[in-house]
Amino acid sequence: MTSTRPLRLVIVGGVAGGASAAARARRLDESAHIVLFERGSHASFANCGLPYYMGGEISDRNDLLVADPETLKGSLALDVRTKTEVVTIDRVAKEVEVHELTTGRRYREPYDFLILSTGAAPLRPADLMAKVGLKHPRVVSLRNLEDVDQLKGIVDSGVQKAIVLGGGFIGVEVAEQLVHRGVATTLVEKNPQVLPPFDAEMVVPLEQALIERGVALHLSDAVLDLEPDGHGVRAILTDGRVLEGDVVVLAIGVQPENLLAQAAGLKTNDRGAVKVNEHLQTNDPDIYAVGDVIEVPDPILGGFSYIPLAGPANRQGRLAADHIIARVQGKVDSVPPYRGSQGSAIVRVFDLTAAITGKSEKALQRAGKERHRDYEVIYVHPYHHAHYYPGAKRLTIKLIFETSSGRILGAQASGEEAVDKRIDVLAMAIQMGATVFDLEEAELCYSPQYGSAKDPLNLAGFQGANVVRGGTIPITPVELRAALEMATPPMVVDVRSPAEFDEDHIPGSINIPLPELRTRVGELPTDRPVVTYCAVGQRGYFAERVLRQGGVPAVRNLTGGFVSWQRLVSGSV
């Protein structure tokens, strides 16, 4: 820009990305005229907290307001216009057409740069809603404060039964909160597991927790139709069963809110997400897009993904503002590109927590050989702090890494305590391109009430490094189940104590306790594979090393031991 007049920045949509962009732009340019248009009543609110307000864990609705328009106007001198919808973009004139929803007035607002932060809308398929109508008062989505007011009002009225359609993050969170409110809850998910971004075995304990708290789970099922039923709604499932509910919560996914972008000729992908470059620019370099409306670079496999999460949206808004102001100031080389999103996410289900970062195993399998390198999977089940300190709880960590280099590709964890701590460290490790060898050497805080001298992440690093170096050849529960169905299955050796073996064991396995193994090596075959296992993997690894050095050539250790096997069996993974 060569003009000396103040920069005119227009932002469409608030909440995470838009509000962050506006605040950042103001901090960088005090003279800029920054207009933030928001179709709803609130420019910035905590949409991730909506289920917890409905459930009563957040008691004051005002706590959900991150910043009200008056605060944004007063502290940041932003021109915030709520209940105002941008209906068209004139890229030639560099103006947007605006509709004031309260007055009906229409006008045009000029811009030098435009940021789209229109977000994503909950899916409400027309065919599913045909009989009940698109605005049935007892069929609710959860996107904004008006939605949660509607749902909370229904629950407060004393409803008895609820149906949640969709077992993703929002669906599971809503189901948990409905149970807290004393509402009999049914959850329907078309996939064979809840929380589809995770690998199936990692969410088995969460599914069990839902069932134990009274949630009726219908997995591998879907709703074909919704019908009005007095004040409530009937849901007809694919298998013909009929569910009755006083309220139905739609949580079957979201789609990019892209109509404004598409009408302006901005490029979108097959899913409808707006395409942007490394600086969040669309195919019109003066129009940026951030948040749930865009596709993002995949820093692990390359290419692009659609990852609608609040954390990335905030960072994208900040970076878009940085790039715009840098262009105005002639300092564009100082702005780093957006690194992409690896999908770090976390969810609580009653007393349990599950978290994920990077690629899941099934995501790597879907990507195909042309996009992913060979990978290995290991499981560890350590205590979240020193086992001798009171209150120690077991964690389950699944680590996925490249076979050749040890580079970490993804991780998942579940348990009662300190799940977030471990996945946060692994998320940073993935972003920095770290390997299992880095985990091996990671120096993490230690005191018995917080961790162990060998932290769970060190243990994962030890095992992963052993794999890359060839010191162990792990076999996953899925691989072992397939091997046991072969014409010549491996011999499976349980190296736990006889008491542990008698309590439960892998069918067909034999019991040779680890202390006896050295003197009984001769009992094992040398003409077919041998698989060792224990409770969580450590004794099985020791046994693998004993047998390898004792002349048994083909030995593998069941990673994660019997605990991981039980998850496979109970979850029918």
Side-chain angles (χ1 to χ4, degrees), residues 169 173 198 343-348 353-356 419-421 423:
F169 290 94
E173 290 167 350
F198 289 80
S344 301
I346 192 166
V347 64
R348 186 196 69 191
T353 299
I356 184 171
V419 170
D420 55 338
K421 170 181 175 179
I423 288 297

Side-chain angles (χ1 to χ4, degrees), residues 10-22 36-39 43 114-120 143 257 260-261 274 287-294 313-314 316-317:
V10 170
I11 301 171
V12 183
V15 192
S20 292
L36 174 63
F37 291 110
E38 169 54 47
R39 184 172 54 192
L114 180 66
I115 299 177
L116 300 181
S117 180
T118 48
R143 185 190 189 190
E257 191 82 60
L260 185 63
V274 176
I287 301 179
Y288 294 67
V290 300
D292 295 355
V293 73
I294 70 169
N314 275 290
Q316 292 156 16

Side-chain angles (χ1 to χ4, degrees), residues 524-568:
L524 301 180
T526 57
D527 60 345
R528 66 178 173 133
V530 173
V531 173
T532 59
Y533 79 91
C534 61
V536 296
Q538 187 179 53
R539 285 175 288 172
Y541 165 64
F542 294 162
E544 178 191 10
R545 296 303 303 161
V546 169
L547 295 181
R548 282 185 183 281
Q549 296 173 75
V552 181
V555 188
R556 300 179 73 178
N557 177 37
L558 177 62
T559 179
F562 192 62
V563 171
S564 290
W565 175 265
Q566 285 180 307
R567 285 193 174 197
L568 170 80

Side-chain angles (χ1 to χ4, degrees), residues 102-290:
T102 54
T103 66
R105 183 172 76 97
R106 288 177 178 263
Y107 60 93
R108 296 171 74 88
E109 183 76 24
Y111 68 84
D112 296 313
F113 297 101
L114 180 66
I115 299 177
L116 300 181
S117 180
T118 48
L123 289 170
R124 295 175 68 92
D127 55 346
L128 184 62
M129 303 293 293
K131 291 183 181 178
V132 297
L134 287 173
K135 295 185 178 180
H136 192 286
R138 291 296 178 97
V139 180
V140 185
S141 299
L142 206 59
R143 185 190 189 190
N144 53 39
L145 286 166
E146 289 75 17
D147 291 338
V148 78
D149 288 340
Q150 180 184 358
L151 179 57
K152 188 174 185 298
I154 294 170
V155 175
D156 289 347
S157 72
V159 297
Q160 301 297 311
K161 297 177 294 184
I163 302 169
V164 179
L165 303 187
F169 290 94
I170 293 175
V172 167
E173 290 167 350
V174 168
E176 178 204 51
Q177 293 301 306
L178 287 168
V179 170
H180 285 326
R181 294 295 307 272
V183 179
T185 302
T186 299
L187 190 151
V188 182
E189 167 56 49
K190 68 177 181 179
N191 289 289
Q193 65 172 89
V194 299
L195 301 169
F198 289 80
D199 290 319
E201 74 279 10
M202 294 300 295
V203 299
V204 167
L206 282 73
E207 292 172 346
Q208 293 171 340
L210 287 166
I211 294 170
E212 289 169 1
R213 295 297 185 102
V215 176
L217 280 185
H218 292 268
L219 303 176
S220 299
D221 212 341
V223 172
L224 287 178
D225 208 352
L226 295 173
E227 298 178 346
D229 181 24
H231 292 296
V233 178
R234 285 194 302 269
I236 293 84
L237 304 184
T238 53
D239 62 5
R241 283 180 294 178
V242 177
L243 305 176
E244 296 181 351
D246 301 314
V247 62
V248 172
V249 181
L250 287 182
I252 56 178
V254 298
Q255 59 187 1
E257 191 82 60
N258 61 13
L259 295 180
L260 185 63
Q262 288 183 331
L266 302 180
K267 293 181 179 179
T268 57
N269 66 13
D270 293 341
R271 186 165 179 170
V274 176
K275 290 177 171 288
V276 294
N277 66 10
E278 68 273 16
H279 294 297
L280 291 313
Q281 292 168 289
T282 66
N283 52 292
D284 184 325
D286 292 339
I287 301 179
Y288 294 67
V290 300

